[in-house]
Amino acid sequence: MSIESILQTVFGYASFRGPQHDIIEHVTGGGDALVLMPTGGGKSLCYQIPAIARQQAGQGITVVISPLIALMHDQVGALHEAGVSAAFLNSTLSMQEASDTERRLVQGNITLLYAAPERINTSRFLAQLDSLYERGALSLFAIDEAHCVSQWGHDFRPEYRALTVLHERYAKVPRIALTATADALTRADIIERLQLEDARLFVSSFDRPNIRYTIVEKRDATQQLLRFIRSEHMGDAGIVYCQSRKRVEDIANLLCDEGIAALPYHAGLDSKVRQANQDQFLRTEGVVMVATIAFGMGIDKPDVRFVAHLDMPKNIEGYYQETGRAGRDGQAADAWMCYGLQDVVNQRRMIDESPAAEEFKQGLRGKLEALLGLAEATDCRRVRLLAYFDEASTPCGNCDNCLQPPDVWDATDAARKLLSTIYRVQQMSGFSFGSGHVMDILRGKTTDKITQYGHASVSTFGIGADLSETQWRAVLRQLIAISAVAVDAQAFNTLKLTDASRAVLKGDVPVRLRVSLAQPAERKSRRGSATTSAAPKAPVDLDTAGQTRFAALKAWRFDVAKAHNLPAYVIFHDATLAAIAQNAPQSLDDLQGISGIGARKLEAYGAAVLAVVTGGMGVAYGNPDA
Ligand code: ADP
Ligand code: ZN
């Protein structure tokens, strides 16, 4: 079969997306590839279709290396649903299951084998690959989440370093490495570590146009989160990222108390609890996962409607990867972040206090600064995000700054006052002070500390009384963002001047800040009246009869998914069910053209779906000979 007909018959999709066609053609033809594509971009098909095509051409098995042990069962289940022979090998299998799979492997009876990277280190697995290789039955290696090989990536896995053996031992087998982490440092590291110097590089656009980016100033974070969920996302599946395990637990409890179905996920939970919570998130509708960054890699749930950051992530790569988990189905989704001065200080401190080498820390600080720049930006967030990945773009119309251009004030003068206060108190007392004290001086407060150090005589005392504390904090955040102020974690988070301070002091660097609104403006909901109810929403507008069909189809899908022990979206995506509900097909022919229905699913479920659509009233429909 051609790669086009595999796309259509096996996966039920009409056309390739973005660079998929070129990648698949190249890899099917035996070329090596490094694929950089954003989360949700469609990476899986880039190795699944070549695997099928090459198996059909008698070239044997594709081995997929993936760190996502907890998801392999579902990934393989999804391929089975599409009629593709697949299996996995990882530590969750019993001895019996593993040896059954190994037998099928040696017989060459599988198209795709998913394996955890640790396997590659075992002589047993290598011997099995050797035997396939000698028979010319080892077709392709796909290395998923390839950034795991790099310490610059955020998910470094030492086991990935062993993957060099694939190239050394099986030189004739093509390799495709895939990742959604795109910064230049990580990319170069992947190429070097995996010896992919000769591989063709495919870089997709990293834009995710359906995701709306919003970054708000932290006031009362939990109340802000609650308002955001209540006003826009009641009943939706979402992910809330928090910095610490304790905070994860607290927020999950709080959301539950507020009637929002929330579950915690962090590395400190028992692995059974973690797996159970993940399964519930994947298998039940409308669950909010409150998690540390331990959660999410490889989560391919298509209908996550929002990703919220209650604390600031470490860098833009992390932020982009995490927010990318929203809206894989292409429907409108939100990336919402809340951040404040404390986040900046905490992140700085974590870097400063880490035992890493200074050069490495410098890299981390640079990355943090880029993220601060994004958070403080008064222009299009997407333009900034994409620029970080070296992609030029124009204002998007779908981020907070585009939708509600913030009022901006010129804070250049204020910034100079703040810097000179830091300078003067340092001069006067011989050591530095923290942000609270510096702001008290600027605002002309007579605190005990100011009296104690005689700081009322500093020439900037009281010259900033016209600005509120919130405004001063914004000025300080911005100065930290551009490295004109350093926060010394080793010395009680005191503020220090840096090399970059001078230009700001001289007035050479304009500082522009958004005007903090006393009350955050009410955001207009995109969903109209449905937002306050927890009823499932259809991704397209359906009339009443359509809504009824959609609900019936969902109920049917729920039963099938349960019987197969798979998440519902593996059977059919919401978008597919909605298209069925809208078109009200009367025959298998009508069903066939709908996106997401391949030959196997048509055969397995076509009759049942038609029965559901027609109300199960025995309306005549073509019967498959299945
Ligand atoms: P990634 O691994 O890059 O994060 P996936 O491979 O999970 O993304 O794909 C994201 C979603 O897009 C999946 O639900 C997948 O079925 C769908 N998809 C991928 N390619 C196509 C295509 N050519 N046409 C329609 N849907 C597609
Ligand atoms: Zn924008």
Side-chain angles (χ1 to χ4, degrees):
M1 262 197 276
S2 69
I3 58 174
E4 284 81 8
S5 46
I6 294 174
L7 177 75
Q8 284 151 13
T9 29
V10 178
F11 296 98
Y13 295 138
S15 54
F16 287 113
R17 244 194 221 164
Q20 276 177 337
H21 176 270
D22 293 352
I23 297 166
I24 291 168
E25 193 174 63
H26 177 74
V27 174
T28 303
D32 289 343
L34 173 58
V35 172
L36 309 182
M37 212 183 250
T39 312
K43 285 187 284 301
S44 320
L45 291 188
C46 295
Y47 59 83
Q48 288 170 347
I49 292 180
I52 296 165
R54 288 174 66 84
Q55 175 68 281
Q56 285 177 353
Q59 286 161 306
I61 289 175
T62 290
V63 177
V64 184
I65 307 293
S66 164
L68 308 169
I69 291 171
L71 296 166
M72 282 184 189
H73 170 269
D74 290 356
Q75 288 173 326
V76 164
L79 285 165
H80 285 164
E81 291 294 323
V84 181
S85 142
F88 66 89
L89 278 177
N90 67 32
S91 52
T92 66
L93 293 180
S94 67
M95 292 272 276
Q96 183 60 45
E97 289 167 325
S99 64
D100 284 351
T101 301
E102 284 170 349
R103 186 160 350 97
R104 286 175 64 202
L105 172 67
V106 175
Q107 288 163 353
N109 234 340
I110 298 174
T111 299
L112 287 120
L113 177 80
Y114 285 74
E118 302 80 66
R119 291 269 147 180
I120 299 296
N121 288 321
T122 68
S123 51
R124 187 184 171 89
F125 188 58
L126 286 176
Q128 286 155 358
L129 295 186
D130 287 349
S131 130
L132 289 170
Y133 188 58
E134 281 153 23
R135 286 182 279 143
L138 195 52
S139 161
L140 173 68
F141 288 114
I143 303 166
D144 205 4
E145 314 287 352
H147 61 278
C148 290
V149 79
S150 167
Q151 61 163 346
W152 295 110
H154 33 85
D155 296 303
F156 177 50
R157 310 260 168 143
E159 316 85 79
Y160 260 62
R161 290 282 162 92
L163 296 182
T164 45
V165 74
L166 301 180
H167 184 49
E168 284 155 7
R169 200 165 169 128
Y170 310 111
K172 283 183 281 187
V173 179
R175 293 170 302 151
I176 171 173
L178 310 102
T179 178
T181 299
D183 72 308
L185 219 52
T186 314
R187 187 194 306 180
D189 214 18
I190 294 172
I191 292 173
E192 189 191 325
R193 298 277 173 192
L194 295 177
Q195 300 162 3
L196 284 167
E197 288 84 359
D198 298 328
R200 193 160 144 200
L201 180 65
F202 293 91
V203 184
S204 306
S205 164
F206 267 67
D207 191 15
R208 297 286 309 281
N210 59 313
I211 298 181
R212 175 179 294 182
Y213 299 96
T214 302
I215 301 178
V216 301
E217 205 179 311
K218 203 177 266 189
R219 289 193 170 77
D220 179 350
T222 49
Q223 288 307 314
Q224 287 171 287
L225 175 73
L226 262 180
R227 265 201 302 277
F228 165 69
I229 296 179
R230 283 230 178 88
S231 65
E232 314 239 353
H233 289 292
M234 279 310 271
D236 283 344
I239 305 174
V240 177
Y241 282 110
C242 307
Q243 198 75 65
S244 70
R245 296 172 182 185
K246 168 151 194 330
R247 189 138 153 104
V248 163
E249 305 263 351
D250 292 348
I251 299 294
N253 284 334
L254 178 125
L255 291 182
C256 287
D257 289 347
E258 297 289 337
I260 294 163
L263 290 170
Y265 189 105
H266 58 72
L269 289 172
D270 180 74
S271 69
K272 284 208 187 66
V273 175
R274 246 173 21 225
Q275 179 75 40
N277 288 0
Q278 173 170 307
D279 283 348
Q280 200 171 335
F281 177 71
L282 296 177
R283 283 161 167 70
T284 316
E285 285 194 49
V287 172
V288 174
M289 189 65 110
V290 185
T292 60
I293 53 166
F295 178 74
M297 197 192 350
I299 292 291
D300 57 359
K301 186 175 168 61
D303 57 352
V304 175
R305 293 271 67 86
F306 69 91
V307 171
H309 282 93
L310 212 46
D311 302 304
M312 198 173 65
K314 286 190 175 53
N315 53 45
I316 292 187
E317 288 92 324
Y319 172 75
Y320 209 61
Q321 198 114 17
E322 284 144 27
T323 55
R325 292 169 187 146
R328 280 167 175 258
D329 54 10
Q331 312 290 323
D334 272 300
W336 182 91
M337 178 165 105
C338 168
Y339 104 114
L341 186 56
Q342 201 53 45
D343 287 300
V344 182
V345 172
N346 287 346
Q347 292 285 8
R348 276 278 178 169
R349 190 178 49 224
M350 282 197 280
I351 296 173
D352 292 340
E353 288 176 353
S354 89
E358 189 50 36
E359 180 203 358
F360 185 76
K361 289 189 191 178
Q362 212 45 50
L364 296 181
R365 287 191 198 104
K367 286 177 175 230
L368 175 60
E369 269 155 30
L371 178 62
L372 291 174
L374 172 75
E376 291 292 334
T378 52
D379 50 4
C380 177
R381 310 267 191 206
R382 194 179 313 267
V383 166
R384 290 207 172 224
L385 277 169
L386 293 174
Y388 186 78
F389 298 115
D390 297 324
E391 202 174 319
S393 63
T394 51
C396 72
N398 194 27
C399 72
D400 53 354
N401 288 349
C402 281
L403 290 164
Q404 274 194 338
D407 289 331
V408 175
W409 63 288
D410 185 346
T412 313
D413 229 36
R416 296 170 64 191
K417 288 176 185 164
L418 200 154
L419 291 177
S420 68
T421 306
I422 295 173
Y423 177 76
R424 278 163 216 274
V425 293
Q426 213 275 336
Q427 287 289 305
M428 190 170 158
S429 305
F431 49 88
S432 308
F433 291 81
S435 59
H437 186 68
V438 170
M439 283 183 229
D440 285 345
I441 297 172
L442 283 160
R443 304 197 64 223
K445 288 200 193 162
T446 36
T447 63
D448 290 350
K449 203 165 171 181
I450 284 178
T451 314
Q452 183 190 343
Y453 291 104
H455 283 169
S457 67
V458 172
S459 62
T460 53
F461 184 81
I463 60 168
D466 52 327
L467 298 186
S468 69
E469 203 178 311
T470 314
Q471 284 172 309
W472 277 116
R473 221 176 277 132
V475 176
L476 181 56
R477 274 202 316 265
Q478 179 82 8
L479 289 173
I480 295 172
I482 63 174
S483 291
V485 171
V487 181
D488 188 346
Q490 258 80 53
F492 311 105
N493 291 331
T494 50
L495 306 179
K496 303 228 159 95
L497 296 191
T498 68
D499 293 344
S501 308
R502 182 186 301 269
V504 180
L505 266 171
K506 287 204 313 203
D508 290 347
V509 179
V511 179
R512 289 164 65 73
L513 294 178
R514 66 176 59 232
V515 175
S516 288
L517 303 166
Q519 267 302 307
E522 281 297 315
R523 294 191 0 150
K524 261 221 167 128
S525 166
R526 282 173 282 171
R527 284 258 190 67
S529 58
T531 50
T532 46
S533 89
K537 300 145 203 149
V540 292
D541 281 335
L542 296 170
D543 59 17
T544 316
Q547 293 282 4
T548 310
R549 285 192 289 270
F550 184 65
L553 284 163
K554 276 197 145 182
W556 166 81
R557 181 182 66 175
F558 178 82
D559 291 340
V560 175
K562 198 155 185 201
H564 294 203
N565 185 24
L566 286 170
Y569 59 83
V570 167
I571 309 299
F572 286 123
H573 282 185
D574 277 6
T576 302
L577 291 192
I580 298 171
Q582 190 167 41
N583 297 346
Q586 298 298 313
S587 69
L588 288 174
D589 270 355
D590 294 347
L591 255 185
Q592 193 154 29
I594 292 174
S595 179
I597 308 183
R600 174 56 176 267
K601 289 189 180 175
L602 187 70
E603 185 185 302
Y605 303 127
V609 165
L610 290 176
V612 174
V613 167
T614 52
M617 303 298 284
V619 175
Y621 48 78
N623 195 25
D625 48 10

